[in-house]
Amino acid sequence: MAEKIGIIITNQSGSRKDVLAVIRHFSDEPVASLSDKISKGEAVFIKEICKEKFYSGINEFMDVVDALDKSLIGYRLTRNGEAEERNYFETLLQNLRNIGLQDFR
């Protein structure tokens, strides 16, 4: 079963233009749609994580999170619609990076 992970913008220490620039770097969603989602408090970046593309999906998701951090933009992370701590995603990504070839033999 695929999991949906998302990012909701919670506060904007920077401008809305900065938020949109960061998200648009990783998404093809129209600016008007993103701006509307920010206003409504909806997830602006959603990634569906499935078995076949789990590593690339979580890796891209964390790239977006890191970009938001660098821009000092506040956010909340979600997993299947429920709030989730950043530590959960960092641990998951670290565990995936530590898997070696010997783990498959």
Side-chain angles (χ1 to χ4, degrees), residues 4-63:
K4 287 187 178 183
I5 54 178
I7 301 171
I8 298 172
I9 303 301
T10 56
N11 67 13
Q12 297 178 36
S13 6
S15 70
R16 183 174 288 241
K17 182 179 170 184
D18 294 338
V19 173
L20 294 172
V22 169
I23 300 299
R24 286 281 296 156
H25 181 75
F26 296 95
S27 169
D28 294 338
E29 192 163 350
V31 172
S33 174
L34 288 172
S35 187
D36 189 45
K37 287 180 179 182
I38 292 169
S39 297
K40 292 179 180 177
E42 297 175 355
V44 294
F45 187 84
I46 298 174
K47 199 75 178 160
E48 191 165 325
I49 306 296
C50 56
K51 266 197 303 191
E52 297 81 25
K53 296 185 177 185
F54 193 83
Y55 178 76
S56 63
I58 197 74
N59 200 36
E60 181 182 9
F61 183 78
M62 291 308 292
D63 286 345

